């Protein structure tokens, strides 16, 4: 795959679900639209490497968000100016923020598990929102209080400490996560030595639907092909995605690298299974609206 520069294509129509092709099984695992034999073998190697590994144990104990760090006020946005202000990260502080530091907070999962984590200050959380600094329209923040918000994580939905910012003109707050994701474990398997037309890295995870089975991924392809495909290997402890490109042209082509959304539907909800990239051998990075989640930095 040629990758001289990255061109993110906005407004692409989500590709059709991948889970409608052929199925093969091996030891209770299921492969759908399994790609080449080499791709299937690589996916199984990744799943086997993570199963029972120290990296998997670290992952299962940590906090790795799979949802946006920001939840908007109800009814957002009132007009195009407010929407533009949020997209461009243009905020204005007209009030005071709590100065008393909160040293520790807890992330809680429905099953009773919890994790003690440091809590960022209101000022630090606000500065992650206000990165625009342009003369355009701005959302006005008049205050903040520490509470919580519900967020999808690698261990399912969790209650996470969050700063609730009061936004002028809105009855409910804008919520911003107040904790930092856990450090990523060292992967138990190396990435594929070189990128090929048959297998490449995913650009990221876009969304997980409420049913827990429908996932939208961001896949890469070039300007002279038939688009990306994503094959799936489901096991008891992981879901491994193998990204490839369909119909690559051998003729002259520009060097643009495009990003397209591809939707896959699993046989059962993700739950606490790891979402892994066959090419990198790592968890699939979650993409936030403005940047990659700090989970993956």
């Amino acid at each position: 795959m040629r990758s001289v520069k990255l061109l993110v294509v906005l407004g692409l129509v989500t590709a059709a679900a991948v889970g409608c092709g052929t199925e093969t099984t091996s030891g209770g695992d299921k492969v759908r639209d399994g790609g080449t034999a080499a791709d299937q073998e690589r996916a199984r190697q990744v799943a086997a490497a993570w199963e029972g590994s120290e990296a998997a144990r670290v992952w299962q104990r940590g906090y790795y968000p799979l949802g946006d760090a920001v939840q908007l006020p109800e009814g957002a946005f009132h007009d195009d100016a407010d929407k533009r202000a949020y997209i461009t990260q243009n905020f204005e502080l007209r009030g005071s923020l709590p100065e008393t530091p909160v040293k520790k907070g807890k992330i809680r999962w429905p099953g009773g598990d919890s994790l003690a984590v440091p809590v960022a200050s209101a000022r630090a959380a606000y500065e992650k929102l206000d990165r625009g600094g342009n003369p355009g329209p701005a959302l006005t923040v008049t205050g903040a209080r520490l509470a919580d918000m519900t967020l999808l994580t690698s261990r399912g939905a969790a209650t996470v400490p969050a700063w609730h910012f009061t936004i002028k003109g809105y009855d409910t707050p804008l919520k911003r996560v107040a904790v930092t994701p856990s450090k990523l474990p060292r992967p138990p398997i190396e990435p594929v030595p070189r990128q090929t037309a048959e297998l490449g890295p995913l650009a990221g995870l876009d969304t997980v639907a409420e049913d827990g089975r429908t996932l939208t991924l961001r896949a890469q392809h070039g300007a002279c092909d038939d688009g990306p495909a994503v094959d799936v290997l489901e096991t008891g402890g992981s879901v491994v995605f193998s990204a490839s490109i369909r119909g690559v042209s051998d003729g002259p082509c520009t060097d643009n690298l495009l990003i397209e959304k591809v939707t896959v539907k699993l046989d059962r909800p993700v739950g606490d299974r790891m979402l892994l990239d066959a090419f990198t051998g790592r968890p699939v990075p979650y993409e936030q609206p403005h940047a990659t989640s700090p989970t993956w930095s």
Side-chain angles (χ1 to χ4, degrees), residues 2-257:
R2 289 153 291 192
S3 56
V4 175
K5 59 182 179 179
L6 175 65
L7 174 61
V8 178
V9 179
L10 301 176
L12 286 173
V13 177
T14 301
V18 176
C20 59
T22 59
E23 296 184 356
T24 62
T25 58
S26 174
D29 302 337
K30 181 170 285 188
V31 183
R32 292 195 311 283
D33 292 343
T36 67
D39 291 350
Q40 292 182 29
E41 179 59 25
R42 169 64 182 180
R44 290 192 175 97
Q45 289 172 357
V46 170
W50 277 87
E51 185 176 359
S53 68
E54 177 60 26
R57 286 189 284 272
V58 171
W59 181 265
Q60 289 158 2
R61 293 193 300 263
Y63 160 61
Y64 302 100
L66 300 180
D68 293 344
V70 176
Q71 292 179 0
L72 298 174
E74 294 177 8
F77 293 99
H78 291 337
D79 51 40
D80 289 341
D82 282 1
K83 184 176 181 180
R84 180 184 171 192
Y86 177 71
I87 291 174
T88 59
Q89 298 182 280
N90 226 29
F91 287 76
E92 182 179 2
L93 181 60
R94 290 187 181 177
S96 60
L97 297 176
E99 297 294 339
T100 304
V102 181
K103 294 183 179 180
K104 287 285 185 180
K106 273 193 175 181
I107 300 170
R108 293 180 172 86
W109 285 270
D113 289 343
S114 65
L115 180 66
V117 288
V119 174
S121 67
R123 173 67 61 176
Y126 174 77
E127 289 174 354
K128 289 184 180 295
L129 292 172
D130 182 25
R131 293 178 173 177
N134 64 70
L139 290 169
T140 301
V141 173
T142 59
R145 66 182 181 88
L146 185 64
D148 55 45
M149 61 186 270
T150 301
L151 182 68
L152 182 64
T153 75
S154 61
R155 296 162 63 179
T159 301
V160 182
W163 286 103
H164 289 205
F165 292 97
T166 305
I167 306 296
K168 183 178 179 181
Y170 291 86
D171 296 331
T172 59
L174 180 150
K175 304 174 186 178
R176 212 288 173 187
V177 170
V179 297
T180 301
S182 303
K183 183 179 179 180
L184 280 173
R186 180 179 178 84
I189 188 170
E190 294 296 321
V192 172
R194 63 183 182 87
Q195 190 168 339
T196 68
E198 289 75 29
L199 191 65
L202 284 163
L205 173 67
D206 192 73
T207 57
V208 179
E210 290 185 8
D211 64 6
R213 294 179 57 203
T214 308
L215 285 69
T216 302
L217 302 153
R218 297 166 64 84
Q220 303 173 354
H221 69 105
C224 303
D225 54 55
D226 295 332
V230 178
D231 305 320
V232 184
L233 168 66
E234 292 195 55
T235 76
S238 64
V239 181
V240 185
F241 301 102
S242 301
S244 59
I245 302 173
R246 301 172 297 180
V248 179
S249 172
D250 292 331
C253 187
T254 62
D255 288 321
N256 291 334
L257 184 63

